[in-house]
Amino acid sequence: MASQPRRLYVAVRDPDSLLIVDVKGIEKESASPSLTVVGAVPLPGGPTQVTLVSRGASRSALVLVSCSDAGVVAIYDPDVGQVVAQVSVGQQSGTQSSQPFGLAFQQAGNAARIFASNFGDGRVSVIDIADLNNPQLARLVAWLGVRQDVGQSAQCQEEQL
């Protein structure tokens, strides 16, 4: 009896996309696994990290992707087959955005709190998904820490003079 393939999600650039890959043959140590790209979904600019949030055995896990260039965390729902939310993690500061990079989450029942480390401003953005069955309602609820980018562009301009 053939086993079901496992699903792998890979963030790639140029073009910025989420590759959906089926992986077969990893159960047997002697067998070589096979990888098959089964889809690609366009993402906002600069995808960096991918994290999965389980919704239980009956639903596919949500796929979270930090998109540094766009300043958003994108949420892909495999059950729908598209990005269902793009949550902005901060305000623009001159030409530099918050640039989310690392992702972590805390799950409580059918809800999740997402933490995105922001490379651009040094803070951590907090995103709540109150109902994992409705990820399109995800929203930014707080920032942790103090902005580290305030005044840097003015300081750089002074140094260039």
Side-chain angles (χ1 to χ4, degrees):
M1 179 170 138
S3 64
Q4 291 287 12
R6 291 194 182 191
R7 184 72 30 111
L8 174 67
Y9 297 95
V10 182
V12 298
R13 294 195 180 191
D14 201 19
D16 294 338
S17 306
L18 180 69
L19 290 184
I20 304 163
V21 179
D22 278 349
V23 182
K24 295 180 183 174
I26 58 175
E27 294 80 17
K28 300 176 185 176
E29 290 182 30
S30 62
S32 296
S34 67
L35 306 172
T36 305
V37 175
V38 295
V41 178
L43 287 174
T48 51
Q49 184 172 342
V50 177
T51 299
L52 301 179
V53 178
S54 175
R55 294 192 285 182
S58 63
R59 303 232 23 219
S60 298
L62 289 176
V63 182
L64 309 176
V65 184
S66 57
C67 299
S68 294
D69 295 349
V72 302
V73 173
I75 302 172
Y76 172 75
D77 186 342
D79 293 347
V80 177
Q82 65 185 22
V83 173
V84 295
Q86 295 181 37
V87 182
S88 177
V89 298
Q91 303 149 329
Q92 295 285 9
S93 172
T95 59
Q96 186 174 11
S97 70
S98 295
Q99 298 176 312
F101 192 85
L103 294 172
F105 68 92
Q106 177 182 27
Q107 195 165 349
N110 195 39
R113 176 159 281 178
I114 312 305
F115 301 93
S117 64
N118 297 331
F119 181 76
D121 67 15
R123 298 181 295 177
V124 174
S125 295
V126 182
I127 299 168
D128 276 353
I129 305 175
D131 180 0
L132 293 172
N133 292 317
N134 293 300
Q136 67 276 10
L137 301 178
R139 63 188 183 92
L140 178 72
V141 294
W143 292 285
L144 304 176
V146 178
R147 288 184 74 142
Q148 303 297 309
D149 64 338
V150 176
Q152 288 180 1
S153 61
Q155 183 181 1
C156 289
Q157 289 175 354
E158 288 175 12
E159 290 173 2
Q160 291 176 353
L161 296 176

